[in-house]
Every structure is written in structure tokens, then in C-alpha cells.
């Protein structure tokens, strides 16, 4: 397996189209979930330069910080709290164009301006979330939702 990531020039859709098969190649054959989540966070950060990319994993009824790339972050998020805890509760992807407008947003960094959180579902249960923060407003849209949900679907059998 080549560990070099090929980052193509192009729009967001083209970047995701090139990235997803590379991530699949990176994680297939590696049974350790932490290794795979770490590489996924790195690949997303490397490709898009997002401010913060990481995972929170459900452990004993709380989301606990998992592999991530970016500044240090809060370690525990309760069910229904913040964007992450709400995505867990609602079992759906949340796109937040302006974090200041999201009631109860948990500000791990004051530099974060917009956010997307994608739940990882396994047999109808949320086992964790993928959380991406941007330092600009309105970064995430339906293209991000589509490809990140597709990416996260690969993890369902891998946790
Ligand atoms: N903003 C998140 C907390 C996690 S940090 O962004 C890394 C939330 O409101 O759940």
C-alpha cells in the first residue's frame, strides 16, 4: 500500500471523488479501527486543509475524543449536547453554516466558524461521529454531506 496521498486540483466534488478510493485503499486490510480513523482524519485534513477533523466515539453513553488532526479539543460530549451530541441524538448529519447561530454549540476553539458532523451508524446505533470544523463561515454543503456520509458508511463494519 502506498502511503502517499494524491491530492488533485479541482473543485470539492472532484477532490472527494479522488480521495474516497484512496481512503478505501488505506483502510482495507487494516483491522485496527483507531489506525483507520487516524488515517481518515489525516487524509481529510491534508486534502482540504480543514481547521479541525476528527472523531468522537461513543463510550459508556458519552462521546469521547478519538483520532483527530488539528488543535487540542474537548474530550467528552454528552448525548444531545453541542453539534456532535445533537447529531448523535438525531442520528443524522448536521451542517452548521455559522456556529454562533447553533444553540448549545460547544466551542473547542474560538477560531471555528462552521461545522459538519456525520454520525457513524452500526445496526441502527450511533457508534461515533465524524466532526469537521472550518475557520470560515458556510464551508459545508450537500456535496460534503454526500461524500462524508459515503465515507463514514465504510466504517460501519469496521468499528
Ligand atoms: N463544536 C463541537 C465540539 C467539538 S469541537 O468542534 C472539536 C460541538 O458543538 O459538538
Amino acid at each position: 500500500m502506498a502511503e502517499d496521498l494524491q491530492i488533485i486540483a479541482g473543485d470539492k466534488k472532484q477532490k472527494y471523488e479522488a480521495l474516497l478510493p484512496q481512503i478505501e485503499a488505506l483502510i482495507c486490510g487494516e483491522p485496527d479501527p483507531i489506525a483507520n480513523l487516524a488515517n481518515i482524519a489525516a487524509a481529510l485534513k491534508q486534502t482540504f486543509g480543514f481547521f479541525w477533523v476528527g472523531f468522537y466515539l461513543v463510550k459508556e453513553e458519552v462521546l469521547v475524543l478519538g483520532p483527530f488532526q488539528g488543535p487540542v479539543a474537548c474530550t467528552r460530549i454528552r448525548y444531545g449536547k453541542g453539534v456532535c451530541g445533537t447529531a448523535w441524538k438525531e442520528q443524522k448529519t448536521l451542517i452548521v453554516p455559522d456556529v454562533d447561530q447553533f444553540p448549545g454549540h460547544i466551542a473547542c476553539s474560538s477560531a471555528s466558524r462552521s461545522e459538519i458532523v456525520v454520525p457513524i451508524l452500526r445496526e441502527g446505533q450511533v457508534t461515533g461521529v465524524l466532526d469537521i470544523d472550518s475557520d470560515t463561515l458556510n464551508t459545508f454543503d450537500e456535496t460534503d454531506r454526500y461524500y462524508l456520509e459515503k465515507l463514514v458508511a465504510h466504517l460501519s463494519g469496521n468499528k
Side-chain angles (χ1 to χ4, degrees):
M1 180 200 73
E3 276 88 8
D4 278 350
L5 195 70
Q6 304 298 320
I7 300 168
I8 62 147
D11 63 17
K12 185 189 275 194
K13 183 175 181 294
Q14 291 167 319
K15 283 189 156 75
Y16 276 116
E17 288 283 350
L19 178 63
L20 261 58
Q22 294 187 76
I23 288 183
E24 214 171 315
L26 264 174
I27 68 176
C28 81
E30 174 49 67
D32 188 278
I34 297 299
N36 288 335
L37 297 183
N39 258 341
I40 292 169
L44 286 166
K45 172 95 167 142
Q46 220 178 317
T47 300
F48 294 103
F50 295 131
F51 177 69
W52 195 93
V53 182
F55 293 90
Y56 283 90
L57 304 173
V58 175
K59 292 185 181 173
E60 291 164 12
E61 298 311 306
V62 69
L63 283 169
V64 181
L65 183 63
F68 72 96
Q69 294 268 318
V72 294
C74 44
T75 52
R76 285 171 189 263
I77 299 172
R78 282 181 291 131
Y79 185 75
K81 300 293 174 190
V83 187
C84 293
T86 305
W88 175 15
K89 186 175 178 182
E90 295 183 0
Q91 302 206 347
K92 67 171 197 203
T93 299
L94 294 180
I95 293 172
V96 181
D98 178 353
V99 295
D100 290 338
Q101 304 303 316
F102 188 95
H105 167 257
I106 300 164
C108 291
S109 164
S110 58
S112 176
R113 303 255 51 90
S114 59
E115 184 163 358
I116 185 167
V117 178
V118 183
I120 303 165
L121 280 148
R122 191 178 187 181
E123 290 163 8
Q125 297 283 320
V126 174
T127 58
V129 300
L130 167 61
D131 178 18
I132 307 181
D133 286 25
S134 166
D135 57 9
T136 56
L137 292 168
N138 293 307
T139 296
F140 305 103
D141 56 23
E142 291 305 314
T143 300
D144 299 283
R145 182 204 303 270
Y146 175 77
Y147 286 103
L148 294 173
E149 284 182 353
K150 208 167 156 180
L151 168 58
V152 154
H154 284 298
L155 300 174
S156 304
N158 197 29
K159 285 193 72 253

